Amino acid sequence: MNTTPSFAIPGSGANGNLTSASNATGGVHHGETDCIELRRLHRFFGKTKAVNDISFTVARGHVFGYIGPNGAGKTTSMRILATLDLPSYGDAFVDGFSVVNDPELVRRRLGFMPDSFGTYRDVNCKEYLDFFARANGLVGRERNQRLDWVLDFTGTKGMAEKPIRGLSKGMKQRLCLGRALIHDPSVMILDEPAAGLDPRARIELRKMIRELADRGKTVLISSHILTELAEMCDSVGIIEQGSLLATGSVEQIQRQRETHRELSIRLLDRVSECAEDISTRESVEKMIIDGECLRFEFEGDAGDQADLVAWIVSRGYRVVEVSSHKKSLEDVFLQVTEGLVQ
């Protein structure tokens, strides 16, 4: 059991002297903005490449969504970051400290919320959190303050004396989040935290995660609920068969993968005539006349779209409205991945 106080100064060595990440790990520190870094990470199980040469960084105070089908390598990556497994090759860093060379320093700075967790049936919520506070070296007044804050933040203060066996799924997830927060980590790793929650519980969990990021914590979260990740995350990474296929903000990935977009143009008159003219252009496919509107697939970026509208107007057609269907994160996910498992 780790009895080292979790409130040790970030960036300090075991003897209390300040050290850089390069001194602690033999690597190169990438500055204060990169709180999580995976550097050419590999994890093999026999011939299975669960994680295959993955590299990305997450800036301090950002929420990173980790997306992929079951068996893609998300949980394996997260377990390595949480120092619960070792990479076959490569390394990962939390606040500049290596999960391979400095696991104890990483654990002080990291809170891990697994997709499933064990509880003790005859223990109440406060006793459960108090156990993990003590396990993380919190004592006296500081331990009591952290307990009160976590119970208040997770909305479990009203049931502090309630046995865990009587909690709903949503309340158990809140309790697990509280356990991960009890030592005030700078990095949170959340593996499928919204699984099995009702809509209200998911909304409340999303608000809590966003608030943690606003407080400066870095959050890496995996989920199959892509619409929620699109609203919550500053950036995402899409993984399949152990390989990272795309990474960046949702908007960046959408722009990179968006070769076709669906356009809708509403005209004042001469709808059929305009449809015939537009259909002659190579960039236009699948023309549909819907009352006063023309709907079609268009190949090109935003600049090409603007040129098309200008061309239509130049030919004397009176355009009332133009709209473009933007691909959702789900659309991008389906386009990037192939549904492969290993």
Side-chain angles (χ1 to χ4, degrees), residues 265-271 274 292 309 312-322:
I265 298 178
R266 187 159 69 91
L267 300 162
L268 196 60
D269 50 24
R270 300 169 60 199
V271 179
C274 184
E292 298 176 339
V309 175
I312 294 170
V313 173
S314 72
R315 297 181 68 84
Y317 297 109
R318 295 191 287 177
V319 176
V320 177
E321 182 182 4
V322 178

Side-chain angles (χ1 to χ4, degrees), residues 248-301:
S249 70
V250 175
E251 292 76 14
Q252 287 171 338
I253 296 176
Q254 286 170 335
R255 286 197 299 267
Q256 292 167 1
R257 300 286 171 170
E258 193 173 56
T259 57
H260 285 76
R261 62 180 67 196
E262 183 181 296
L263 290 185
S264 175
I265 298 178
R266 187 159 69 91
L267 300 162
L268 196 60
D269 50 24
R270 300 169 60 199
V271 179
S272 298
E273 185 181 347
C274 184
E276 291 180 9
D277 268 356
I278 297 176
S279 297
T280 62
R281 298 177 69 93
E282 292 183 357
S283 56
V284 173
E285 298 178 352
K286 300 179 181 178
M287 175 65 69
I288 297 175
I289 300 176
D290 182 11
E292 298 176 339
C293 292
L294 301 180
R295 306 185 194 280
F296 53 90
E297 287 190 6
F298 177 71
E299 183 177 2
D301 58 20

Side-chain angles (χ1 to χ4, degrees), residues 36 111 177 180-181 185-190 212 217-221:
I36 297 176
L177 179 63
L181 279 170
S186 58
V187 175
M188 300 291 296
I189 308 295
L190 312 179
L212 289 173
K217 296 190 185 299
T218 304
V219 182
L220 190 152
I221 178 174

Side-chain angles (χ1 to χ4, degrees), residues 19-123:
T19 61
S20 68
S22 58
N23 291 334
T25 66
V28 179
H29 189 49
H30 284 260
E32 292 299 321
T33 58
D34 291 339
C35 206
I36 297 176
E37 179 185 4
L38 274 65
R39 192 184 299 172
R40 305 211 64 180
L41 197 66
H42 296 72
R43 182 64 172 103
F44 304 150
F45 296 96
K47 295 182 179 180
T48 300
K49 298 179 180 180
V51 177
N52 187 24
D53 198 9
I54 286 183
S55 299
F56 64 80
T57 61
V58 185
R60 188 176 307 278
H62 281 211
V63 179
F64 183 91
Y66 211 21
I67 306 169
N70 291 327
K74 301 187 302 298
T75 296
T76 301
S77 306
M78 290 178 154
R79 284 177 56 83
I80 291 173
L81 265 175
T83 72
L84 298 175
D85 196 5
L86 286 171
S88 302
Y89 306 102
D91 206 342
F93 300 87
V94 172
D95 266 352
F97 293 98
S98 164
V99 300
V100 176
N101 298 324
D102 300 292
E104 287 298 322
L105 293 174
V106 169
R107 289 168 193 154
R108 296 180 197 177
R109 293 159 173 81
L110 184 140
F112 179 53
M113 181 177 174
D115 56 350
S116 61
F117 64 102
T119 58
Y120 305 96
R121 289 177 53 83
D122 296 324
V123 172

Side-chain angles (χ1 to χ4, degrees), residues 131-152:
F131 171 83
F132 286 98
R134 292 170 185 269
N136 279 282
L138 297 178
V139 295
R141 182 180 179 184
E142 183 180 16
R143 188 179 80 243
N144 292 329
Q145 288 176 339
R146 288 302 301 170
L147 281 170
D148 287 341
W149 185 87
V150 166
L151 287 167
D152 184 60

